[in-house]
Amino acid sequence: MKKLIQRYKQLNPAARASIWFVFCNLMQKGISTITVPIFTRLLTTEEYGTYSLYLSWFNILTVVTSLNLYYGVFNNLMNRESDPKVRDQYVSSMQGIVVTLTAVLAVIYLPFQDFWSSALGLSRLAIWLMLLELLVEPSVQFYLARQRFEFKYKHAVSITMLKSILNPVLGLALVLLADEDRATVRIISVVITEVLVSGTIMILQFAKGRVFFSESNWKYALSFNIPLIPHYLSAVLLNQADRVMIRMFDSVSKVGIYSVAYNIGMLMQLFTNAINSSLTPWTYDKMNKGDYRSIRKSTTTLLLLLASAILCMLLFVPELVKIFATAEYYEAIYVVPPVACSVYFIFLYNIFAIPQMYYERQKFMSVASVAAAGLNIILNYVFINLFGFLAAGYTTVACYLCYSVGHYIFCRKVCMEEIGSMELYNTKAILGISMGVLSCSVVFNVLYAFSYIRYTLIVVAVIIVIMKRKAILNNL
C-alpha cells in the first residue's frame, strides 16, 4: 500500500484525474449494474421495455436540445481560453442555448400531444417528464466536462456518486410502493434525481456566469456544433435506434430483453468512458507538443487491453445473464457478444475522431456518422423483420465497424494534410486487434453450446493473466 500511495503521489494531474474518473465510472456503472437484476425482477419485460424506450428517446432528443455542446466545441474553447471568469460565462451561455431549444421542443409538442405520444410509444406524462429532464440534465454535463478538462476530479466524483446512488435508491423505493404502471414510476424517480442534482448545478452556473445570451459564444458554439449535429444524432441513432425499431417490428417485451443484453454487453464502457474523459485533453496536449509517438503507443496499448477485457467478459455471458435477469430474459445470451464487441469499435472511432476535432475539421465526421446510421436503420429494418430482435446485436456491431472505418479514412485525410503523416496510430496493429474482436462476436455464440470448452478457456485466461500480471498492471 505504501508503494502504491507513493506511486500515486508521483503521478501528474492528468494521470491522477484519469484514475479517479475510472473509479468514478466504475462506481457509477457498478451501482447501476447491481440494480439491473433487481428491476428486471420487479418489472415485467414490457414495463422494462417501456422504461428502456424512454431512455432511448431521451438520448436521441438530447442531441436536439443540447446540441451536445459539452463535447468537441467545449474542449476547444477550454483549450483556447484559460480565464476562469470567461469559462464561467461560456458555460452559463451554453445553458441558455439548452433552455431555448428545450422550450422550442415543448412548443412543438404541446398542440399535438396524442400524435407524439403514439409515435414515441410513451404516455403524455412520460413525455412531459422527459422535457423536464432535457431541460436540466445538460447542466451537469457542462460541469463535469469542465472539471475533466481542468483535471479537477474531487467535485466531479462527488456529484457523479450522488447521482449514481440517489437514482437507483429512489427508483427502488418508488417502484416497491407502486401497485401499477411501474415503468412510469421508475421514470419519475430518474427525473426527480436530475431535477435535484442537475437543476441545482444549473442554477449555480447561471448565478456564477450571469450570462444567458452571448452573441459571440452562441455564434461560435452554434457554427461549430450545428455541422456536427448529423454526426452526433447519427451516433445516438446507432446506439438507440435498435430498441425503437424492435418495438416497431417485434414488441415492447423484446425491447426489455434486448435492453438487458445491451446493458451486459456495454459493461466494458466502464473503462472506455473513463479513459475517453482524460484521453481527449491528454491527446490535445500531446498534439500541441508534437509528441505523436506517445499517442501512437498509448492508443495501441489501450485497444489491446480493451480487446482482452472484452474477450474475458464474453467467457462468462451465460452466468452474467442468469445473474442479471430471470428465465424470461435468457434469450439475451445470444445478443451480448456482438454488443460487447461493439464497445471496441465505439472506442476506436472516438480515437479517430480526436484529431478531426482538434483541427476543427468536423464536417468530415458527419459523413461517416450519417452513413453508418443510415446503414443501421436499413439493416435493422431488413433483419429484425426476418430474424427478430436477436439480429439487432449483429447489425449494431456491423455498423460500428463501418463507422470506425469511415472515421479512419477521414482521420487519415486530416492528419496527412495537417502533419504530413498518419504516424498518430499504428494501423497494422489496430487492424489485427479489430479482426480478432470481430471474430469473437460470432465464435462465442457457437461456443456457449459447449460449456466444457468455455470453462477450459476460462482456466487458460486466468493462467495467462496471472503470468502476465506485471505487464498488465504496468500498461494500466
Side-chain angles (χ1 to χ4, degrees), residues 63-334:
V63 179
V64 177
T65 58
S66 73
L67 305 180
N68 282 3
L69 292 168
Y70 34 77
Y71 286 157
V73 67
F74 192 91
N75 287 325
N76 278 35
L77 187 119
M78 294 295 108
N79 194 46
R80 289 181 175 186
E81 184 56 65
S82 59
D83 186 346
K85 291 184 178 179
V86 175
R87 289 182 174 183
D88 290 338
Q89 293 170 358
Y90 178 74
V91 171
S92 180
S93 63
M94 291 304 97
Q95 289 185 161
I97 294 177
V98 173
V99 172
T100 303
L101 292 176
T102 305
V104 170
L105 189 64
V107 170
I108 294 172
Y109 170 66
L110 186 60
F112 310 103
Q113 295 185 52
D114 290 336
F115 169 78
W116 289 115
S117 181
S118 176
L120 273 59
L122 299 169
S123 67
R124 285 187 177 190
L125 175 59
I127 296 175
W128 280 114
L129 288 168
M130 187 187 299
L131 287 167
L132 180 57
E133 188 178 2
L134 288 168
L135 179 69
V136 299
E137 197 273 342
S139 295
V140 76
Q141 298 300 332
F142 286 120
Y143 177 79
L144 294 175
R146 179 173 177 179
Q147 296 295 303
R148 286 192 293 263
F149 196 92
E150 295 175 350
F151 301 123
K152 297 177 180 178
Y153 51 83
K154 293 181 180 179
H155 291 162
V157 171
S158 300
I159 294 297
T160 305
M161 290 303 298
L162 176 62
K163 280 184 62 178
S164 301
I165 294 171
L166 184 59
N167 186 331
V169 169
L170 183 60
L172 182 59
L174 293 181
V175 167
L176 286 171
L177 292 172
D179 295 325
E180 57 184 17
D181 197 9
R182 287 168 293 184
T184 300
V185 171
R186 179 69 183 103
I187 292 168
I188 290 172
S189 68
V190 172
V191 177
I192 290 174
T193 301
E194 291 296 345
V195 169
L196 290 176
V197 179
S198 303
T200 301
I201 291 174
M202 180 182 183
I203 293 170
L204 292 175
Q205 289 182 154
F206 268 133
K208 199 171 184 180
R210 298 186 179 184
V211 175
F212 184 92
F213 171 77
S214 167
E215 183 178 355
S216 59
N217 287 344
W218 280 36
K219 184 177 180 180
Y220 175 74
L222 293 175
S223 63
F224 188 101
N225 260 45
I226 286 177
L228 280 170
I229 293 305
H231 161 69
Y232 287 136
L233 190 57
S234 298
V236 173
L237 286 174
L238 265 175
N239 196 27
Q240 305 294 336
D242 42 13
R243 272 158 282 198
V244 174
M245 297 185 77
I246 288 170
R247 173 201 165 245
M248 292 170 62
F249 302 125
D250 206 323
S251 66
V252 176
S253 179
K254 296 301 184 183
V255 174
I257 296 172
Y258 181 83
S259 296
V260 169
Y262 205 87
N263 283 331
I264 297 171
M266 289 291 167
L267 282 174
M268 285 300 106
Q269 283 195 311
L270 285 168
F271 302 101
T272 58
N273 288 343
I275 291 168
N276 275 328
S277 298
S278 295
L279 184 62
T280 298
W282 179 84
T283 304
Y284 273 40
D285 180 60
K286 294 299 178 183
M287 293 184 76
N288 286 338
K289 297 174 181 176
D291 185 4
Y292 306 132
R293 180 179 293 182
S294 293
I295 298 172
R296 182 184 180 91
K297 180 180 178 181
S298 294
T299 52
T300 304
T301 302
L302 287 171
L303 288 169
L304 186 59
L305 286 170
L306 177 59
S308 302
I310 290 171
L311 175 66
C312 291
M313 191 200 79
L314 291 181
L315 290 168
F316 297 94
V317 166
E319 289 75 19
L320 286 170
V321 172
K322 290 177 182 178
I323 291 170
F324 270 74
T326 55
E328 58 185 337
Y329 290 89
Y330 284 179
E331 286 180 277
I333 289 172
Y334 300 100

